[in-house]
Amino acid sequence: MSVHIKRFATPAEAAEACGAEIFRLLEAARAARASATLAVSGGSTPRIMFEWMAKQTFEWKAIDLFWVDERCVPADDAQSNYRMTRESLLDHTALSPTQIHRVKTELIPDEAAEAYIDDISRVFRLEAGELPAFDVLQRGMGPDRHTASLFPGEPLIQNQTGIAAALWVEKMKQHRVTLLPGVLEKARHTLCLVTGPDKAEGIVDVLSAPRDPLHIPSQISSAEMDWFVDEAAAALLK
């Protein structure tokens, strides 16, 4: 595994650098395989990143966009990761509806997860039992060390064969749909965008503590991991 820590003075600088790297990796993937896949996460700093990306000149042809996880709320709800991405990025780009693969949260959670799995399987042309290899996964980390919607102690963290699943997040009193660890690990490149002082202790645990993804889910990693962090989040790193 190759891990790179990239430090920036502000959340905006970290977000813009992460967005620029997403563009670079997507272009490289499309040049190599004629198409590319990206899965993104929600949050306040990703919103900054998407707003910056929306202002750049980029060719979105042959790129399929997915979400790492989603809250089971209506697509126009203020908590929806899809809505945030749409408002900050999609409404300002040339991505067609056929390139955008949201979680269909109008369905009940288990059915939404199954429909998402079917959509991923179709785009990636998966055989039974295969997992998709996303070209780029943009992830975040919560103060509690969760990533995607995999919170500490969640039994699905031990699921290495599934693509996605619905789950109840007791801490948030909310149903969600999330990609599962086997998919997170198979990504060609993972970009973790993490900012704020409440993330400082968590980053140290993720990078330095003995590997224990069940209790430190953000330790779930792919072969290439780039961390884009601001000064506040990196404050305790040596």
Side-chain angles (χ1 to χ4, degrees), residues 51-116:
E51 290 173 347
W52 178 85
M53 292 171 73
K55 298 174 184 176
Q56 311 308 307
T57 299
F58 182 73
E59 174 57 69
W60 287 96
K61 182 180 179 181
I63 291 173
D64 285 282
L65 176 67
F66 297 82
W67 278 262
V68 172
D69 66 330
E70 182 59 279
R71 300 171 177 90
C72 290
V73 297
D76 60 354
D77 190 278
Q79 294 189 69
S80 166
N81 287 340
Y82 165 75
R83 174 183 166 176
M84 185 275 284
T85 311
R86 178 182 59 76
E87 291 177 343
S88 56
L89 178 65
L90 303 181
D91 286 351
H92 313 283
T93 69
L95 275 161
S96 71
T98 59
Q99 294 172 269
I100 299 168
H101 308 276
R102 70 175 181 88
V103 179
K104 295 177 179 177
T105 53
E106 62 271 24
L107 304 175
I108 64 172
D110 285 341
E111 290 180 357
E114 286 302 317
Y116 198 43

Side-chain angles (χ1 to χ4, degrees), residues 6 14-15 36 50 55 61 89 154 187 199 218:
K6 302 182 179 184
F50 295 145
K55 298 174 184 176
K61 182 180 179 181
L89 178 65
E154 169 55 53
K199 311 293 179 61
S218 286

Side-chain angles (χ1 to χ4, degrees), residues 23-61:
F23 283 152
R24 187 189 73 80
L25 291 169
L26 290 177
E27 286 181 336
R30 185 169 52 196
R33 291 178 288 279
S35 63
T37 52
L38 167 66
V40 298
S41 298
S44 57
T45 311
R47 178 186 286 275
I48 297 171
M49 179 183 74
F50 295 145
E51 290 173 347
W52 178 85
M53 292 171 73
K55 298 174 184 176
Q56 311 308 307
T57 299
F58 182 73
E59 174 57 69
W60 287 96
K61 182 180 179 181

